[in-house]
Amino acid sequence: QVQLEESGGGLVQDGNSLTLACTTSGRAFSLLTMGWFRQAPGKERDFVAAIDLSGRNTRYSDSVKGRFTISRDLARNAIYLRMNSLKPEDTANYLCAAKFRGDEEWKYWGQGTQVTVSS
């Protein structure tokens, strides 16, 4: 069983930065592909970023590419999402997700952490 817990959300002004963290339970972290998604009220959940087992390969949605950076720390069983140049349209509940290598769908989800960007 994999449990995920996000932290680091909050209220920030347009143009500022914020770093989210997601910690995992258990000893499976090194076997998990990890990702971040976000969901704004009344909208569908959208992919934000993902990082592979090694931490060397990442991908981003077009809307955050160049502003957000995903990283992982094997020693802390954690991933991070550094968000720079935040915009009001980045306001959403940010969810951490995980899946084992070879799985097509994201199987494990956290509860999310709210990010609000004021203009």
Side-chain angles (χ1 to χ4, degrees):
Q1 184 71 14
V2 176
Q3 294 183 322
L4 309 175
E5 184 173 2
E6 304 92 338
S7 62
L11 173 64
V12 295
Q13 290 189 324
D14 190 353
N16 281 6
S17 299
L18 203 60
T19 299
L20 306 182
C22 171
T23 56
T24 65
S25 65
R27 295 175 288 181
F29 181 69
S30 62
L31 303 177
L32 295 168
T33 297
M34 303 292 296
W36 288 98
F37 290 73
R38 65 187 182 185
Q39 187 166 22
K43 295 188 177 181
E44 293 186 353
R45 186 169 57 199
D46 291 329
F47 168 79
V48 174
I51 189 166
D52 73 351
L53 279 65
S54 70
R56 290 191 292 270
N57 298 300
T58 58
R59 61 186 178 96
Y60 300 89
S61 67
D62 288 342
S63 62
V64 308
K65 197 174 296 182
R67 300 188 297 124
F68 291 11
T69 302
I70 188 172
S71 61
R72 71 189 293 160
D73 186 335
L74 287 173
R76 291 181 168 82
N77 282 4
I79 64 166
Y80 305 94
L81 186 68
R82 174 66 176 179
M83 305 184 293
N84 294 329
S85 302
L86 282 162
K87 307 173 183 179
E89 51 263 44
D90 294 317
T91 295
N93 187 38
Y94 282 71
L95 302 107
C96 179
K99 59 181 177 177
F100 285 102
R101 184 177 180 178
D103 288 345
E104 287 191 10
E105 295 192 2
W106 296 89
K107 186 175 180 180
Y108 305 100
W109 294 88
Q111 294 298 311
T113 185
Q114 179 66 33
V115 172
T116 303
V117 184
S118 63
S119 57

